[in-house]
Each structure stands twice: as structure tokens, then as C-alpha cells.
Amino acid sequence: MSTDGQLSELERVLYARQIRLPGVGESGQLKIKGAKVLLIGAGGLGSPAAMYLAAAGVGVMGIADPDKVELSNLHRQIIHGFDTQGLPKTISAAEALAEINPGLKIILHPEGLTAKNALELAERYDVVLDGADNFSTRYMAADACVLAKKPLVHGSVLRSEGQVGVFLPQAGCYRCVYPQMPNGSDVPTCAEGGVMGATCGVIGSWMASEAVAIILGQRTQSRLMVVDVAAGTSRVMQLDVAAECPACGVHPEIHSIEPAKYISGDCALSNHSMTDTPLEVSIEETARLLSSNKPPVLIDVREPKEWEICRIPSAKLIPMGEVAERLSEIPQNVPVLIHCHHGGRSLRVTQFLRSKGYNMVSNVQGGIDAWSLKIDKTVARY
Ligand SMILES: [Zn+2]
């Protein structure tokens, strides 16, 4: 294939349906061809992400993964197959990608992402995709991208939920939402986890789509998308730099990738998919948690006049505008749920609290209105 800034006849046919899209055209296809992407993790998310990026015509792809293909990977890691069991995932993935797009240049990093190579790798590529299955790698990738000023597309999945983060340089990073790396005891255990392969497909494909959008210059803001495949719902949260962020805030504390800072708990170091406290919980899950033996703290961030109309019995009122000055009333190391009327204001407060180190805070989807509709019809609607 040509490399001289023009598309070959073959490429014009191969990418015809893509070139036809508004915002792509031949110039967009050339940008895709000129792009160098780094894929961290050739697993459940990395498989579809890599395959779609290869098919889209990305020019160079680095693959960083230290693992070998195992039988238990195959239900979700569709880039690998029965015949590549036991091979390094980098090699297995490269073989599959060469079939999809012989024009793709593949660079293998079989040592995976490490504290030693993270910054160098982030600097070497244009866009980084992180589909890692452990917190050490996830935070290392996030910090390396902030330091190297490179865009990061993050993906993670747990059970039927997944999230895709687009973190552009100096526009809000992963740590703006999840400031501190949780230790092993704070995260769901490996045995509790588990995931459907198709859910990985949704999130991995979405990551590829966001990476292409970044390459085409179509993304100007950092954002986090949260998807619940089982419920059929998705939410988008626009992000800004959190002033307190340890990586990109006003007084950043992270100036290099120091290995000691990325040691996580036993569980998070193993090869299972997981995520930390969910950013959002459904109204049904909220009801279940509140009626459990150890109910979470429930905080209502609506205005007092709304509180007068209706309230959830166990909730404590802290209007959104007062949250910053009443932080001492919100416990830090226990599960906390935040709700408002429909879930919008409380999502902002959840993001704010997470930026302050409250890692166990979740937003209640749909707010008290969903509570009135689905859980307790005696709670007035307005
Ligand atoms: Zn940040």
C-alpha cells in the first residue's frame, strides 16, 4: 500500500464506505492511515478494539500484553482462537490482525506496560487504548498519558456494565474521576466478577470508535460514557480538569512513573476483569442496598423546597451548593449514594466527591423520580 500521503486504488475500494462518511473523506482516511495507536491489553476489550482499528486502516499498532492465551479467555477474547492457545497474546493477536489488514504495521511489546516503559510507549504513539484488566496497569497508563500529553481511551467492564473514558490532554484525566488507586480490599473480588463476551464487544468496539474520532480530530472534550448492556441504558458525563486531581490538577503530585506507586492488591493483580465502585447504580439496586444489613449512606443534594415535597426516608439533605463546605458530614470510607431529582445534579456531585478522594461514592440513576415510579409510589412526584 502507498505511504506517500495518498491512498492507493486498493485503499480507496477497501475504505470506500468509511471515506463516504461526513467528517472522514480521503483526508480523514489519510489521518487514520498515518496514526500510531498503542493497545494495552489484547484481551476482552482489546480484541474488538484492535480488530476494528486494523480494519479501519490505522497505520501502526503497538500491542502491549505480557500474557499467554488460555482456554478461559476465548469466550470473550475473540482475536485469539483454539489454535493459538499457549502463545503470547501479542503474537496471537498479530496473526489475526495481519489477516484483517495486511497493510497494518504491528509492533509487539510482549513485556506489557511496565513502570519502566510506560512513559516511553505513551510518547511513541498518537493515541493510547487501555483495556487492561488490573488497576496497576490502568493507573500507569492514565498517568503516562497525562505526562506524555497523549489522548487515552479507557475501557472497563464488570458483569453487564461497562465504561468508556476519553481523556484528552489537559482536559480531564482518569484520576480526575478516580483519584486514587483502590487497594485489593476495596474492589469486588475476582469470584464476584464475571462478564459476558458480548459486553466486552460493546465496550471494545466503542473504544475503537472513540480512538478513530480522536484521530479525525472530532473530540475536543474529555468524557466518560457508562453503559449498562442488561438495562439498555447509557449515560455520558462531560469532564473537566478537577482542581484537586493528583495527576493533572492545580498542584499535581505525579511527575514520573514510580513502580512502588502502582502496587495493587492481590486480586487486582490477577487476570480477572473488574472495576471499582460503580459510578452509578440503578434505582432497583439502590432499593436493594438500602434494605440490606449494611445500608449505604444516602445523601440528597436537592434544594430544601424540593425536600419539602418528597424525600426518601433514610436520606440526609445536603443541597448541591453546600456540599463543598459540608464535606466533613460525608463519611469517606463507607459506601455513599448520592441522589437528586432525576440524577443529573447528583452525578456532578458524585464526580466532585470522587475528585476529593471519595472512592466509594455512586450516583443514583434516575433520582427520586425513579424511586417514586418504581420503588415507592407513595413518594410524591413533581
Ligand atoms: Zn486529572
Side-chain angles (χ1 to χ4, degrees):
M1 295 191 187
S2 71
T3 53
D4 57 357
Q6 286 200 337
L7 296 177
S8 67
E9 273 315 302
L10 184 149
E11 287 169 328
R12 285 200 179 92
V13 177
L14 181 57
Y15 305 119
R17 300 295 189 277
Q18 191 165 289
I19 290 170
R20 198 175 292 171
L21 279 170
V24 183
E26 280 214 15
S27 64
Q29 190 61 47
L30 282 167
K31 283 184 192 165
I32 297 171
K33 184 181 177 180
K36 300 192 287 284
V37 302
L38 174 66
L39 185 80
I40 300 167
L45 302 174
S47 290
M51 291 161 90
Y52 275 116
L53 286 172
V58 159
V60 177
M61 188 186 302
I63 307 171
D65 195 317
D67 293 336
K68 291 193 166 110
V69 179
E70 294 177 21
L71 184 62
S72 63
N73 299 154
L74 301 182
H75 83 109
R76 67 190 187 285
Q77 303 187 13
I78 56 169
I79 202 166
H80 311 298
F82 278 86
D83 59 343
T84 59
Q85 278 184 81
L87 283 181
K89 286 187 183 174
T90 46
I91 293 176
S92 171
E95 284 181 5
L97 295 174
E99 292 281 326
I100 294 171
N101 195 336
L104 171 66
K105 184 181 174 197
I106 300 169
I107 302 168
L108 304 187
H109 304 289
E111 69 280 17
L113 192 80
T114 66
K116 208 171 162 188
N117 71 10
L119 191 53
E120 184 204 324
L121 288 187
E123 282 170 346
R124 193 167 154 186
Y125 293 89
D126 302 316
V127 183
V128 177
L129 285 90
D130 165 34
D133 57 7
N134 64 81
F135 286 107
S136 307
T137 309
R138 190 176 296 176
Y139 277 82
M140 217 183 278
D143 292 346
C145 285
V146 170
L147 292 171
K149 298 188 172 61
K150 291 296 171 72
L152 170 70
V153 180
H154 153 83
S156 64
V157 163
L158 185 71
R159 301 190 192 95
S160 73
E161 288 185 358
Q163 59 183 33
V164 178
V166 172
F167 303 107
L168 303 180
Q170 293 154 319
C173 77
Y174 184 75
R175 282 193 194 259
C176 288
V177 189
Y178 304 105
Q180 302 299 335
M181 191 166 83
N183 62 43
S185 60
D186 290 340
V187 299
T189 65
C190 300
E192 280 173 339
V195 67
M196 293 295 277
T199 307
C200 294
V202 171
I203 300 300
S205 303
W206 201 337
M207 290 169 71
S209 162
E210 289 299 323
V212 170
I214 291 170
I215 292 165
L216 292 172
Q218 296 172 343
R219 292 289 175 269
T220 55
Q221 197 174 6
S222 291
R223 58 182 191 161
L224 187 67
M225 282 78 76
V226 183
V227 185
D228 187 326
V229 175
T233 57
S234 66
R235 298 285 300 268
V236 181
M237 187 170 136
Q238 305 295 340
L239 302 176
D240 285 317
V241 172
E244 303 292 323
C245 175
C248 76
V250 179
H251 301 293
E253 297 154 21
I254 296 160
H255 305 286
S256 62
I257 308 293
E258 293 172 35
K261 290 193 174 159
Y262 301 93
I263 295 168
S264 190
D266 291 337
C267 181
L269 283 176
S270 73
N271 291 324
H272 295 262
S273 292
M274 65 184 60
T275 183
D276 42 5
T277 304
L279 188 65
E280 299 196 287
V281 295
S282 67
I283 203 68
E284 292 85 358
E285 178 68 1
T286 301
R288 191 188 68 74
L289 291 168
L290 290 175
S291 61
S292 67
N293 292 335
K294 282 189 182 173
V297 173
L298 180 65
I299 292 173
D300 183 341
V301 296
R302 296 175 303 149
E303 296 305 307
K305 63 179 188 302
E306 298 176 273
W307 169 264
E308 290 306 319
I309 300 169
C310 59
R311 67 190 75 164
I312 299 173
S314 59
K316 174 189 174 80
L317 180 69
I318 305 182
M320 183 161 84
E322 297 176 17
V323 169
E325 63 207 40
R326 293 174 63 183
L327 278 182
S328 61
E329 297 175 43
I330 304 172
Q332 194 143 15
N333 293 312
V334 299
V336 176
L337 297 179
I338 310 290
H339 88 81
C340 63
H341 189 199
H342 289 118
R345 279 173 283 173
S346 52
L347 187 58
R348 304 294 299 182
V349 171
T350 301
Q351 185 198 0
F352 170 75
L353 289 172
R354 287 191 175 217
S355 78
K356 295 287 180 189
Y358 287 79
N359 284 326
M360 298 177 79
V361 177
S362 301
N363 179 43
V364 176
Q365 274 176 351
I368 197 168
D369 199 45
W371 183 271
S372 306
L373 285 169
K374 293 182 179 170
I375 307 298
D376 184 355
K377 290 190 167 33
T378 66
V379 172
R381 294 186 67 206
Y382 61 100

